[in-house]
Amino acid sequence: MNISPSTATVRDACAVLSSPGLIRLITEIDDNGPIPSRRLADTLADLSAHGLRQATDLARGLDLVHVRPGGRLGLTTSGLELADVYDVTARWARRHAYPDPVSDFTSRIQSTLALLAAAPVLTANSRLTADALADLTRSQDLLDQWLVANQAVQLGAPETAA
C-alpha cells in the first residue's frame, strides 16, 4: 500500500524544512559528525545566535537531533533520513542548474522544496524540461517517505521558552 501525504502536509513540511538554519545544522552534522554543543556557534559561524537557537530548537522539536554522550549534538534516525532528502534534492538542483546555474547549497534545497510544495501545479507552470520534472520524482518520493515515516512529528515551529 502506497501512502502519500496530503498536498497541504507537503506544503507545510516544505515551508518548515526550508529553514536555512535547519538545513545548515542537519547537513553539517551529516557531513562532519556530531558537534559539541559548546562549538555550535563556531561551527555554524554564518548563523546569528538567534538563528542558531531557532535551528537547534526546531531540530530538537522535530526529533532530528539529540545530545549524545559528551554533550555532542548528533542526528537521530529521522535526522539522517532528512539529510538524505536534502542531499538528493541538492544534487537534483545542481544537475538541472536550479534555481540558477550558480546557487549555494541552501538556496538549491529551498528552491527545490518550493517546487515540491507546488507539485500539483508544477507541470503546467514550469520552466523545467520534461526530463528535469521526471528526475524530480526521486526527491518527491524521498520527501513523501520521510513525511509518512515521521507522521507523528508536528511540522510547526516549536514553542521557545521566554
Side-chain angles (χ1 to χ4, degrees):
M1 187 164 112
N2 188 7
I3 300 172
S4 293
S6 70
T7 301
T9 298
V10 172
R11 183 184 61 242
D12 293 347
C14 287
V16 172
L17 299 177
S18 291
S19 163
L22 183 66
I23 293 168
R24 289 279 295 118
L25 179 65
I26 297 300
T27 57
E28 182 68 32
I29 296 171
D30 184 53
D31 289 348
N32 298 304
I35 303 171
S37 297
R38 66 189 177 286
R39 302 282 305 163
L40 279 171
D42 294 336
T43 303
L44 300 169
D46 56 321
L47 296 179
S48 67
H50 178 72
L52 184 57
R53 181 171 179 216
Q54 280 186 320
T56 55
D57 287 350
L58 180 58
R60 284 184 177 124
L62 296 175
D63 193 33
L64 301 172
V65 297
H66 64 281
V67 179
R68 297 171 51 130
R72 298 168 67 88
L73 197 62
L75 295 178
T76 62
T77 299
S78 181
L80 288 167
E81 292 168 352
L82 180 60
D84 289 342
V85 172
Y86 286 162
D87 186 50
V88 168
T89 300
R91 271 193 263 139
W92 176 88
R94 187 175 50 250
R95 182 171 41 255
H96 296 286
Y98 192 82
D100 295 303
V102 178
S103 298
D104 64 55
F105 184 80
T106 300
S107 295
R108 289 182 195 278
I109 291 172
Q110 290 175 311
S111 298
T112 306
L113 287 176
L115 276 178
L116 295 173
V121 295
L122 186 59
T123 54
N125 302 331
S126 180
R127 67 174 176 90
L128 300 172
T129 66
D131 287 340
L133 287 170
D135 287 349
L136 189 58
T137 60
R138 171 93 169 107
S139 292
Q140 182 73 61
D141 290 345
L142 270 179
L143 178 63
D144 288 351
Q145 290 169 15
W146 187 87
L147 290 171
V148 168
N150 294 282
Q151 61 186 331
V153 171
Q154 296 297 316
L155 288 171
E159 298 285 324
T160 33

